Structures are given as structure tokens and as C-alpha cells.
Amino acid sequence: MVTGKIIQSTGSWYKVTSPEGDVIECRLRGKMRLNGSLDTNPVAVGDVVEYELNDDGTGSIVNIQERKNQIIRQATHGRRGSQVIAANVDLAFSVQSVRDPQYRTGFIDRFLVTCEAYGVEPVILINKMDLASAKDLADIEEITQRYRTLGYTLLTSSIYDEESIIRLRDITKDQVSVFVGPSGTGKTSLLNTLDPELNLTIGKVSASSGKGKHTTTFATLLRLSYGAWLVDTPGIREFGLVDVEPPELSMFFPEMRELRETCHFYNCTHMHEPKCAVHEALESGKVHQRRYESYCRILQSI
């Protein structure tokens, strides 16, 4: 039995690094595919697995070690269940762009809820700042204040701003990180700038839709030359929450976490109930209006 880490998943085959640094093509042993899991991918990039070598040089995965955390979302395209984007990460970056396509705070808030629920440290990254207008800069300053007040890290970056690239190298060095965000936000360009030796293929933003075209096909764990591991993921347009029940949603909003304990009703949804501490904090400005609106949209969706 050999222990290795999943560095790429194509759906049926998995690339696994061996203790010696070799890459072994592996498949799941049959009984593991029939374990009743609703995950569309029972094995994810970042998983530590145990496998047996076959006579043809491939491997058979026989066990998945317990994860310390995971980034997960609802499956898309009408499929049931959930999709694990990456497992066992130190940092998860929500990569948005200031323009082409424009950032979405609703996506960011859903991403943050998932990180809170699954024990992952999040970083909000607003990229392509070289495209920012004066109004964009003012808006980003307000958003930065909004999230930093809650204790979240928010960074800005541009592949043309060496200082921001150095900052990203510093925060990702010796860490396992994952870049998550819509297509076209510049995730792959950032990776190429962080480590030019990668030479990854870059896509363009569609002129008709303003949305990015998919370039990265499969999530891949990359070893960067300065001592970082980073998962490059395909573009994600929607981020549906998994296993977050309506009564517990406010637990994953830091500004509501303590307030919910002082609401008049123990099962308060903070939508319409009287004597709601969250409503009082909203009226006094202690809870941001945009964050509350985001909370309401998420609550209605789950």
C-alpha cells in the first residue's frame, strides 16, 4: 500500500504523486465508486489517498484519508449532490476581477459561508486592478472596508503591479492554496505571473457576453517554484451551498453570530420576527445593508 496526494482529477482517472515524487495514473477501486456518496467526485484534488500498484504501472485507490477541510458546492447542470473543488487546503482565494467580468459580492458571500462552515481560511482577491476606473477604486475601497471590518483578508492585484504579485507570493509561500472564481477573472494569468515557468494556457473574455471562457478544464494542484502549492480550478459561475440548514446560516455570518443569541425567538430567521437583534443592528448600521441582503437571498435559496 502506497500513500500519495491527488494532484489532478479528470473524473475517471486521478494523477497521484508518490512518496518519491513520481506521478501515478490511478482509478478508484470498484467498491469505492458504489459507496452511496452524493458527491459527483468522491476523490478530489488535495486528497491524501492510499493506492496499490498494478502490473501495468497504474494504481488502484483503495482508501481516502480523512480530510481536514474542503471547498464544496452544489453540483451543476441538473446533477444531484455536490462537487468537492479541493480538499486539505490552507487558504482559499475567491478570485474576482474589478472589470471584464465585474466582481459579484453575492458570489463572495456564498464562498465565505462555505469557508466558515468547512473550516477553511478565506482570502478575497480582486484582480485586474489595472482596468479600474476612479469609481471602481472608490467602490473597491468601500468593499475592502466592509470585509476587513469582519476580519476577512481582502487583497487587490494586477499582473502589471509587481508589488501585488510579491504580496501574493508571500502569502501563498509554504501553503496549499486554491483559486476559485468565475472564468475570465485572471486566475491562470496570475499563476503564470507568480511562476513564469508554469506557462499555462490563457483564455479570453467573450466580447458578446462579457464573461470569461473556460481555459482550465480540470482542477490541478501545481507546485510553484517559490515553494507554494496552488490549485488552479475551472471557472465557476454559481456557488451553491451544501449542507447549510436555514436555522444555522447566520452562524456563518460573523457579524450575526453573537447577535443571534439575543434574538427574542431561538429559531429567529432575522427576516420578519419581532425583537430581532440582527434587525436592530441593521438599523443602527452595525450590520451592513448589502451583507444583510445577501444573507436574505442565500436564506431563500436554501
Side-chain angles (χ1 to χ4, degrees):
M1 197 83 67
V2 187
T3 300
K5 179 178 286 190
I6 302 290
I7 61 170
Q8 189 180 79
S9 166
T10 64
S12 56
W13 285 93
Y14 304 89
K15 291 185 178 180
V16 181
T17 56
S18 72
E20 294 76 28
D22 298 325
V23 177
I24 310 297
E25 297 280 350
C26 295
R27 300 190 77 165
L28 278 179
R29 179 158 288 178
K31 64 179 181 181
M32 292 193 66
R33 295 195 295 267
L34 302 173
N35 62 2
S37 171
L38 289 179
D39 289 345
T40 60
N41 56 331
V43 181
V45 169
D47 270 327
V48 178
V49 298
E50 295 165 11
Y51 64 94
E52 294 177 345
L53 284 173
N54 302 319
D55 293 338
D56 61 1
T58 65
S60 297
I61 298 172
V62 298
N63 185 46
I64 307 166
Q65 294 189 4
E66 184 177 356
R67 296 168 179 158
K68 73 172 184 179
N69 58 30
Q70 60 187 1
I71 292 290
I72 188 171
R73 67 162 180 162
Q74 284 182 349
T76 56
H77 306 300
R79 293 176 294 180
R80 294 178 63 236
S82 55
Q83 176 194 16
V84 180
I85 297 171
N88 302 316
V89 297
D90 300 309
L91 297 171
F93 288 76
S94 175
V95 183
Q96 302 282 319
S97 51
V98 68
R99 283 180 178 270
D100 300 335
Q102 189 176 44
Y103 58 88
R104 292 185 294 154
T105 55
F107 184 106
I108 292 172
D109 289 333
R110 286 174 174 269
F111 175 86
L112 292 175
V113 168
T114 292
C115 288
E116 294 276 355
Y118 288 92
V120 182
E121 183 176 347
V123 178
I124 304 165
L125 182 62
I126 308 296
N127 191 36
K128 298 165 74 170
M129 289 298 292
D130 52 287
L131 302 180
S133 65
K135 183 181 184 303
D136 292 330
L137 293 175
D139 290 344
I140 294 300
E141 184 175 347
E142 188 278 323
I143 290 171
T144 299
Q145 179 65 22
R146 183 193 313 174
Y147 287 105
R148 286 183 179 174
T149 299
L150 299 174
Y152 293 119
T153 299
L154 188 148
L155 304 175
T156 57
S157 63
S158 165
I159 60 173
Y160 305 109
D161 178 6
E162 185 177 359
E163 184 177 339
S164 70
I165 297 302
I166 292 172
R167 185 168 59 238
L168 277 175
R169 287 194 186 112
D170 288 343
I171 196 173
T172 56
K173 185 178 181 181
D174 300 325
Q175 304 291 310
V176 177
S177 305
V178 57
F179 277 3
V180 179
S183 297
T185 56
K187 298 185 297 296
T188 305
S189 294
L190 272 178
L191 280 166
N192 280 338
T193 307
L194 288 168
D195 186 354
E197 295 180 11
L198 293 175
N199 195 28
L200 302 171
T201 303
I202 299 171
K204 296 181 180 180
V205 174
S206 168
S208 60
S209 69
K211 297 178 180 179
K213 299 177 182 178
H214 292 285
T215 303
T216 304
T217 306
F218 305 110
T220 304
L221 180 59
L222 303 167
R223 176 68 169 174
L224 277 61
S225 61
Y226 60 90
W229 286 94
L230 212 150
V231 182
D232 186 22
T233 64
I236 294 174
R237 292 182 181 177
E238 303 297 334
F239 204 96
L241 301 184
V242 176
D243 292 336
V244 174
E245 298 298 327
E248 63 183 9
L249 176 62
S250 57
M251 290 175 54
F252 306 125
F253 278 72
E255 64 270 48
M256 300 182 187
R257 193 173 292 137
E258 293 184 5
L259 291 173
R260 69 197 300 273
E261 303 298 328
T262 58
C263 289
H264 183 69
F265 296 100
Y266 77 92
N267 59 347
C268 185
T269 65
H270 321 302
M271 294 276 283
H272 51 73
E273 296 87 347
K275 299 181 181 180
C276 170
V278 171
H279 273 176
E280 294 171 2
L282 178 65
E283 293 172 2
S284 67
K286 293 181 179 178
V287 170
H288 196 284
Q289 179 69 34
R290 292 287 179 86
R291 282 278 289 176
Y292 177 73
E293 291 170 359
S294 190
Y295 164 82
C296 292
R297 286 193 296 270
I298 295 172
L299 184 66
Q300 291 167 352
S301 73
I302 63 175

